[in-house]
Amino acid sequence: MSILITGANRGIGRALAKEWQSAGEKVIQTARNSAGMETLDVADPSSIKQLAKRLEGRPISTLVCNAGVSLDKFDEMDSGYSPEHWAQSFAVNVTGVFLVVQALLPNLQANTDAGGASKIAIIASQMGSQNSPAGNRFIYRASKAATINLGRNLAVSLKGDGIAVGIYHPGWVATDMGGGSAELTLEEIIPGLRKQIDGLTISETGCFKSWNGQDCVL
Ligand code: NDP
């Protein structure tokens, strides 16, 4: 079983990698630029293609699309929310997820063909929920709404191939993105998040769950 994680050099991605590694799982850690990790910039289609070429023929059981950006944290309505922030956020949080899934589908398929259960875990956010608008963070919320939508559609598309797709809200966690006021620590959420991903089966493909197993509001 081989698990690939995007954005595995810090935050949730790095903590998830450590959690699986300490349980003896083989983890392919990818990062934009980090020694000892596979290079992958999810916003750069040529970087994605190069990774897929390097991994050609290697089965992957679990693909964790974790890399994400939150660029509008301090944006103000009158001066912020620039076109550049919109473009970059969607390139990483949405297009990047799709292109990585598309490029690594043969690896997931190879795992299925060998009799394994293949799955894709997409780290989204409850902030992308359509039903809890807060009237702020327009870019991050819209991009994560699109991430959730993408995951739900991938689930339908890949069900026939036996590849399960789960969408996860990791909680508000103290990382560089989550900040110092976050409600939860990595130590609190990682075992639960891993449990949700490990337990994902094709029968619940398309689920949107929190790190603790609670159903999230779409
Ligand atoms: P961090 O900011 O701590 O880490 C983000 C990770 O994404 C880093 O490894 C970063 O790499 C990577 N990344 C960003 N852009 C790219 C790119 N173009 N290509 C490859 N990697 C990239 O955030 P978290 O660990 O907190 O967040 C992880 C995921 O969880 C994100 O998708 C986020 O939206 C989601 N999430 C987080 C919450 C929280 O409270 N922390 C709440 C809800 C969702 P680099 O070091 O190169 O920048």
Side-chain angles (χ1 to χ4, degrees):
M1 169 158 144
S2 208
I3 299 162
L4 187 141
I5 305 177
T6 67
N9 56 307
R10 60 189 170 98
I12 294 168
R14 182 174 65 179
L16 264 180
K18 278 191 185 160
E19 177 81 6
W20 269 307
Q21 281 162 345
S22 62
E25 302 293 355
K26 169 141 189 45
V27 181
I28 303 168
Q29 287 176 262
T30 72
R32 279 197 274 204
N33 183 17
S34 201
M37 295 186 191
E38 286 284 350
T39 300
L40 175 64
D41 181 340
V42 304
D44 176 358
S46 69
S47 172
I48 297 172
K49 279 192 184 141
Q50 284 163 28
L51 176 79
K53 187 136 190 65
R54 291 198 300 280
L55 297 180
E56 203 171 333
R58 281 175 66 178
I60 291 174
S61 56
T62 304
L63 167 61
V64 183
C65 297
N66 162 76
V69 289
S70 162
L71 303 177
D72 61 358
K73 202 167 181 177
F74 304 108
D75 281 3
E76 303 281 353
M77 182 59 115
D78 54 354
S79 57
Y81 301 106
S82 66
E84 291 76 19
H85 275 182
W86 280 99
Q88 211 182 328
S89 301
F90 272 74
V92 176
N93 295 351
V94 189
T95 317
V97 173
F98 178 79
L99 293 181
V100 169
V101 168
Q102 185 184 43
L104 297 181
L105 266 184
N107 306 77
L108 291 160
Q109 204 71 70
N111 180 66
T112 309
D113 293 347
S118 300
K119 58 187 90 171
I120 298 168
I122 296 175
I123 309 300
S125 170
Q126 187 70 78
M127 284 177 72
S129 165
Q130 307 292 332
N131 283 302
S132 53
N136 60 19
R137 304 291 305 279
F138 303 109
I139 300 177
Y140 186 70
R141 288 181 188 281
S143 72
K144 288 295 182 179
T147 315
I148 296 164
N149 184 284
L150 174 60
R152 303 270 296 167
N153 278 287
L154 283 170
V156 173
S157 172
L158 300 177
K159 192 170 186 179
D161 298 321
I163 299 171
V165 181
I167 306 154
Y168 300 97
H169 169 61
W172 182 18
V173 201
T175 60
D176 292 339
M177 186 187 291
S181 322
E183 288 168 350
L184 295 158
T185 63
L186 284 169
E187 291 71 25
E188 285 171 302
I189 66 111
I190 290 297
L193 185 58
R194 177 196 159 194
K195 189 175 160 199
Q196 298 314 313
I197 298 172
D198 281 349
L200 172 67
T201 62
I202 201 77
S203 65
E204 61 168 1
T205 193
C207 66
F208 179 28
K209 286 191 166 181
S210 187
W211 63 279
N212 57 8
Q214 278 179 359
D215 286 329
C216 289
V217 180
L218 283 166

